[in-house]
Amino acid sequence: MLNTLSYGLLGLLTSESLSGYDLMLRIQPFWQAKHSQIYPLLAKLEKSGYVQYERIEQRDKPDKKVYTITEKGQTAVMQWLGEPPAEATTRDELSLKAQCIWLADKELVIPLFLTRRKQLDTKIAYYEKLLSRITEEQQTIHSPKFGDYILLNRAITLAEAHMNWCNWVVSMLEQAKEKDVNE
C-alpha cells in the first residue's frame, strides 16, 4: 500500500515525465511536500517498479533523473482513483494564533495578517503563471492537463478566499485600534 504522496506523484507522472524537482514544483499547489520527502519516495517507487527513470546529463550541474510512470504505476493510480478520499486536513499556524488574538496588542498581530497577504499574493501570481501556460485546448476533460487546469483554479480560489479573510481581520483590528485610541 502506497501513501497519499506516492499516489500524488504517480498521478502527476500520468500526464508527463518529470524530474524530482519538477514533481515538487507541480505538487506544491495541492500538497505540501519537500525534497526530503519526494526523493526517497521516488527511489522506493522506482525500486518497487511503479516508475522508471532516464538519467539526463547536464552541464555544470549533476545529472538529473526524469521519471516516467510504468504500467504497474498506472494500475495503482487507477485503483487509487476509485477509493474515497480522506477528509482534507488543515495545518495553519496563523489560524492557531487567531484563536488567542484577543490577548495581544493590535500592533503586534496586524503584521501577521499583512505577511500572510503578501504570501498569498505571491502564491496567486505563481498559480496564475502556471495557469496561463495551459492552452484552451488543454482545458478540456480529455486533456492530460485538465487536472492541472481545475486544480490551479481551485488553488487560486482558495488563496483569494484566504486573502479576503485576512483583509477582513485586518480591517476589524484596525477599527478596534482606532476605537481604543479614541477612548
Side-chain angles (χ1 to χ4, degrees), residues 20-29 38 126 130:
Y21 179 76
D22 291 331
L23 281 164
M24 186 200 64
L25 292 177
R26 294 281 306 280
I27 206 164
Q28 286 304 316
I38 290 175
Y126 175 66
L130 294 177

Side-chain angles (χ1 to χ4, degrees), residues 42-54:
L42 286 170
K44 287 179 185 175
L45 291 171
E46 193 270 330
K47 187 175 182 182
S48 299
Y50 293 102
V51 299
Q52 56 193 22
Y53 67 86
E54 178 184 352

